[in-house]
Amino acid sequence: MEYLLGKTLDELTAIAEEAGLKRFAGKQIADWLYQKRVTTIDQMTNLSLAARDKLKQHYSVGRQAPRAHAESIDGTKKYLFSVTPKQPFSVTPVTPSERGTGGVIESVYIPEDDRATLCVSTQAGCKMACRFCMTGTLGFHGSLTATDILNQVFSIPESETLTNLVYMGEGEPMDNLDAVLRSIEVLTAPWGCAWSPKRITVSSVGLVPELKRFLDSCECHLAISLHNPFAIERRQIMPIEQRYPLSEVIALLKQYDFSHQRRVSFEYICWGGVNDTPKHANELLRLLRGLECRVNLIRFHEGVERDFPASDEKQMVWMRDYLTEKGLTTTIRRSRGEDILAACGMLVNQLNESGQQL
């Protein structure tokens, strides 16, 4: 059984013709999937009953409701999804042993004033093995399909109110670029959701060939996980530095124009006395000189079982003000959902069907 969610207009048109329908039925199916957001083929009522029956022999929509959710005291919500649903909207219990099998992933809904952002996962677990990230402790269990990615967007209760999407959940988006680009095409195409690409940000630790392909393929924003401007120190916490040095990433980015609508930002978790010193601030200025960008300072979460000391508020404010005064726009990103393990680097699939931590 194949899933329709994630198919392009050309693919849906071919499927319609296989079912004996006119070519324009492909556009009708796309409208049912991406605008009306149906969950079953039976709901596509402007297709004949015979056509729907024929479609159901080989396809289903591919939607599945979250298996569980938890809500933070700050309003953030974390959702647990099965990977590639076997039965649309089936609900089965998750067990502690399932956490590390790749059978489930998490996404995070973040409401704030007039914005509603969803942070989606692109892989089950992660192979990048950044030392400070809890998700890396799950290991890597496979890349999600475009269906899996889009299901996170379409199947949360707040789906219709989303204003922004960030590919910053489990996994490295550039390591699953085909599925990421396909999901972005569905979200931004006129026959899909018709979102502006400026509503979407994709993160990366810095896989250079895939970054180039991404930058050449779409106009979405980019966020680079930087965390330390010195190669030797960065290599100790981010193994990717060995394969694709940050200097190569920056050199690539400087070939592109970020002075207009598309933005590039750098994510920077702050650790006390480790990467929040004047030496690090000045190296950031040197490294990013000539690149139109911003730096987002991120608080480290003490609850994460890693041997890193969090920066104090005073030092983070100093670093923000110092970099901004020197011409590098810098902000302190507000931490959300820490109490439900939904904040940056904390996704470890620890929800059961009751929304409780395992």
Side-chain angles (χ1 to χ4, degrees), residues 230-301:
F230 292 106
I232 294 177
E233 296 180 16
R234 188 172 189 258
R235 194 178 305 129
Q236 293 172 351
I237 59 172
M238 300 179 69
I240 195 64
E241 177 69 22
Q242 183 71 34
R243 184 178 179 190
Y244 295 119
L246 186 59
S247 58
E248 290 186 17
V249 175
I250 302 302
L252 172 68
L253 295 177
K254 287 183 176 178
Q255 298 174 27
Y256 293 84
D257 183 5
F258 295 101
S259 62
H260 298 292
Q261 288 189 315
R262 181 163 65 173
R263 299 192 307 267
V264 60
S265 59
F266 293 90
E267 308 300 293
Y268 197 91
I269 297 175
C270 292
W271 297 292
V274 176
N275 67 346
D276 62 352
T277 70
K279 177 184 74 171
H280 292 87
N282 286 319
E283 181 62 11
L284 271 176
L285 291 169
R286 186 200 67 79
L287 184 70
L288 301 180
R289 185 175 298 117
L291 181 62
E292 188 74 23
C293 64
R294 71 170 55 227
V295 172
N296 294 319
L297 303 181
I298 303 170
R299 294 177 178 85
F300 187 63
H301 307 292

Side-chain angles (χ1 to χ4, degrees), residues 284-333:
L284 271 176
L285 291 169
R286 186 200 67 79
L287 184 70
L288 301 180
R289 185 175 298 117
L291 181 62
E292 188 74 23
C293 64
R294 71 170 55 227
V295 172
N296 294 319
L297 303 181
I298 303 170
R299 294 177 178 85
F300 187 63
H301 307 292
E302 297 276 19
V304 178
E305 296 179 3
R306 291 292 178 270
D307 188 23
F308 294 94
S311 293
D312 63 31
E313 182 72 16
K314 181 179 179 181
Q315 191 64 17
M316 289 186 68
V317 169
W318 169 84
M319 194 166 187
R320 178 198 63 191
D321 293 347
Y322 180 79
L323 292 173
T324 299
E325 288 169 4
K326 296 293 183 179
L328 179 56
T329 302
T330 304
T331 62
I332 297 175
R333 199 168 78 188

Side-chain angles (χ1 to χ4, degrees), residues 128-171:
M128 297 299 112
C130 298
R131 283 186 56 213
F132 50 85
C133 180
M134 288 179 69
T135 304
T137 65
L138 296 174
F140 174 70
H141 300 280
S143 292
L144 304 188
T145 64
T147 302
D148 293 321
I149 295 171
L150 290 168
N151 184 59
Q152 298 170 70
V153 179
F154 281 69
S155 294
I156 62 169
E158 302 85 2
S159 177
E160 302 268 7
T161 67
L162 292 176
T163 63
N164 297 85
L165 190 69
V166 293
Y167 288 71
M168 294 183 181
E170 294 178 39

Side-chain angles (χ1 to χ4, degrees), residues 24-79:
F24 66 79
K27 178 65 170 64
Q28 291 177 313
I29 296 173
D31 184 64
W32 284 113
L33 290 172
Y34 304 130
Q35 292 296 323
K36 298 183 176 68
R37 305 192 177 201
V38 297
T39 58
T40 69
I41 290 173
D42 284 328
Q43 294 172 303
M44 301 179 183
T45 52
N46 61 353
L47 304 182
S48 70
L49 185 59
R52 280 178 271 162
D53 287 340
K54 191 169 184 179
L55 282 175
K56 288 189 294 182
Q57 292 176 18
H58 303 286
Y59 299 95
S60 65
V61 169
R63 289 272 303 278
Q64 183 190 35
R67 285 170 58 168
H69 82 278
E71 185 167 355
S72 167
I73 57 174
D74 64 23
T76 299
K77 294 182 182 179
K78 183 170 70 170
Y79 289 99

